[in-house]
């Protein structure tokens, strides 16, 4: 029974069939407000990422003002490490590239980069590039193509790509390409839709999508669609709303977005809403969270949902913000 429910979105009345925008706005506005809540306590290391997820989702729905701008900007300020220049996931935590990029995205949405030490951020990102062109996530040395993407995304938003060795960075990402056209976290690592998005996004920003085996990779990505309409991240895995974004955004950058069955995918994404509390979950009936809420909405935006602002497939930010910054990532036709 459990397997059949995963592989097929049931047609009963309990499954949402329309986009519940007002519910999602309420869900995101109220999420994480109770500091005595157990969930709040165990997710403090993700606070900066959570701010980005929630804020971007609200902006895509045209409800940016539902969150207190000054409080959020002040939070970002308090998370910047005065020594390294990096930004942490929460106050008094260690800085990391994953949270640094989220913080810069938040400040760009608000047009408040002047609130932090931008040169400190640039110095931090530069310090994490290794001789082979790869990036570590922080001072502890883990290497991952996610961090390559975070580095160039951060620096491109700050208009300082000259701070790193871009050619070396491209060489490293290219070395992570597999025979199936996909990318892993490091050379010889398994292809994964989330890491493919990071590498395709990296190459979109660095204007090097030419190195990709476009149709081979696009075929691998469209094969992620299951009978339920949902997408998975690797063969033989369950569908998950977040892969709606990782796969669609990659296909969008590759000019192959039309290879996905939009109607089936939209039906799956909409079924993952909670009609009582709002928010999206990974699969129908599971607990909702801001992470899946953002990527569910962003995927619907990529498919042209008129109730949402246009999202940029490379940056996962409203297109109007990218236009204002005059950024032009490479997108194939």
């Amino acid at each position: 029974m459990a397997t059949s429910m995963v592989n097929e979105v049931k047609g009963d009345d309990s499954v949402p069939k329309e986009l519940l925008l007002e519910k999602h706005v309420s869900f995101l506005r109220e999420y994480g407000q109770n500091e005595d809540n157990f969930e709040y306590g165990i997710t403090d290391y993700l606070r900066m990422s959570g701010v980005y997820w929630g804020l971007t989702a609200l902006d895509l729905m045209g409800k940016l003002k539902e969150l207190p701008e000054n409080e959020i900007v002040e939070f970002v300020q308090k998370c910047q490490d005065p020594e390294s220049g990096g930004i942490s996931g929460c106050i008094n935590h260690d800085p990391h590239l994953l949270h640094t990029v989220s913080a810069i995205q938040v400040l760009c949405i608000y047009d408040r980069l002047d609130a932090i030490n931008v040169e400190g951020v640039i110095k931090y990102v530069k310090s994490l590039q290794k001789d082979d062109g790869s990036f570590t996530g922080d001072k502890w040395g883990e290497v991952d193509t996610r961090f390559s993407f975070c580095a160039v995304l951060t620096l491109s938003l700050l208009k300082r790509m000259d701070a790193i060795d871009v050619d070396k960075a491209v060489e490293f990402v290219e070395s992570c390409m597999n025979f199936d056209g996909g990318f892993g976290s490091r050379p010889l690592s398994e292809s994964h839709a989330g890491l493919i998005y990071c590498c395709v996004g990296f190459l979109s920003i660095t204007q090097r999508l030419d190195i990709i085996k476009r149709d081979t990779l696009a075929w691998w990505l469209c094969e992620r669609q299951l009978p339920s309409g949902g997408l998975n991240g690797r063969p033989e895995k369950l569908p998950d709303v977040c892969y709606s974004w990782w796969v669609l955004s990659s296909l969008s950058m590759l000019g192959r977005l039309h290879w996905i069955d939009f109607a089936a995918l939209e039906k799956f994404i909409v079924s993952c809403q909670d009609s009582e509390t709002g928010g999206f979950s990974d699969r129908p009936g599971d607990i909702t969270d801001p992470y899946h809420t953002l990527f569910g909405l962003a995927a619907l935006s990529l498919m042209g949902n008129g109730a949402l602002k246009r999202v940029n497939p490379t940056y996962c930010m409203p297109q109007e913000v990218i236009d204002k910054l005059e950024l032009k990532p490479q997108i194939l036709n």
Side-chain angles (χ1 to χ4, degrees):
M1 175 63 75
T3 301
S4 67
M5 288 183 69
V6 165
N7 291 331
E8 180 182 358
V9 176
K10 299 299 181 180
D12 58 65
D13 293 337
S14 65
V15 177
K17 298 177 177 62
E18 297 178 345
L19 187 56
L20 308 172
L21 289 180
E22 291 186 10
K23 292 279 188 180
H24 301 322
V25 172
S26 297
F27 171 75
L28 292 168
R29 184 178 57 234
E30 297 167 11
Y31 193 89
Q33 293 300 308
N34 184 3
E35 296 188 15
D36 295 325
N37 184 281
F38 174 72
E39 187 179 57
Y40 186 95
I42 65 170
T43 59
D44 60 346
Y45 69 98
L46 285 174
R47 197 77 65 234
M48 188 66 70
S49 296
V51 169
Y52 159 70
W53 299 327
L55 187 73
T56 305
L58 285 168
D59 199 3
L60 290 176
M61 293 187 286
K63 298 292 183 179
L64 182 61
K65 294 184 179 180
E66 292 292 329
L67 293 182
E69 176 181 338
N70 289 334
E71 288 183 26
I72 289 174
V73 171
E74 183 179 358
F75 172 71
V76 174
Q77 289 175 318
K78 290 180 178 179
C79 289
Q80 183 169 28
D81 178 37
E83 294 185 10
S84 69
I87 300 173
S88 60
C90 197
I91 299 169
N92 295 325
H93 285 221
D94 289 340
H96 196 287
L97 260 181
L98 290 175
H99 306 305
T100 299
V101 69
S102 292
I104 297 303
Q105 288 173 296
V106 166
L107 293 178
C108 284
I109 288 173
Y110 278 137
D111 193 17
R112 296 286 301 276
L113 283 173
D114 59 333
I116 60 164
N117 177 3
V118 170
E119 289 302 318
V121 172
I122 295 167
K123 180 187 74 170
Y124 179 69
V125 175
K126 178 180 173 64
S127 73
L128 296 175
Q129 187 171 28
K130 297 171 65 70
D131 291 342
D132 65 356
S134 66
F135 286 82
T136 61
D138 58 14
K139 64 182 181 181
W140 302 112
E142 180 188 9
V143 170
D144 193 308
T145 48
R146 290 178 302 158
F147 309 147
S148 296
F149 178 54
C150 290
V152 299
L153 197 157
T154 299
L155 293 177
S156 65
L157 289 173
L158 299 178
K159 310 291 183 70
R160 284 300 309 276
M161 288 285 287
D162 61 302
I164 59 170
D165 188 331
V166 175
D167 290 339
K168 274 288 186 183
V170 170
E171 286 180 16
F172 174 75
V173 169
E174 186 174 15
S175 75
C176 298
M177 188 189 306
N178 294 319
F179 73 94
D180 54 18
F183 294 84
S185 60
R186 298 173 73 168
L188 304 180
S189 294
E190 179 185 11
S191 295
H192 183 282
L195 294 164
I196 287 170
Y197 162 72
C198 291
C199 292
V200 175
F202 169 95
L203 295 170
S204 171
I205 292 171
T206 57
Q207 305 288 314
R208 289 302 313 273
L209 287 176
D210 60 284
I211 72 173
I212 289 179
K213 303 170 185 175
R214 178 159 65 156
D215 284 349
T216 301
L217 176 53
W219 179 256
W220 188 94
L221 289 166
C222 74
E223 283 290 292
R224 306 279 57 78
Q225 191 160 33
L226 302 173
S228 66
L231 302 167
N232 63 15
R234 293 174 289 163
E236 304 302 321
K237 297 295 183 179
L238 297 177
D240 187 321
V241 160
C242 70
Y243 292 113
S244 304
W245 170 256
W246 310 127
V247 172
L248 283 191
S249 57
S250 298
L251 287 171
S252 180
M253 288 182 272
L254 295 174
R256 295 291 184 265
L257 191 57
H258 58 286
W259 286 16
I260 290 291
D261 183 338
F262 280 12
L265 178 56
E266 182 174 6
K267 182 179 179 181
F268 174 80
I269 294 173
V270 169
S271 74
C272 294
Q273 300 173 107
D274 190 312
S275 58
E276 295 182 9
T277 66
F280 290 77
S281 58
D282 56 350
R283 286 177 282 279
D286 286 352
I287 300 297
T288 59
D289 59 71
Y291 173 84
H292 289 95
T293 300
L294 168 60
F295 295 125
L297 291 170
L300 291 172
S301 172
L302 272 183
M303 290 189 286
N305 189 295
L308 301 166
K309 292 182 181 180
R310 248 181 90 211
V311 68
N312 181 275
T314 302
Y315 289 87
C316 196
M317 297 167 66
Q319 183 63 47
E320 63 187 25
V321 176
I322 302 305
D323 290 342
K324 186 174 181 180
L325 291 169
E326 299 182 334
L327 297 173
K328 298 186 182 301
Q330 184 183 16
I331 305 291
L332 301 179
N333 296 321

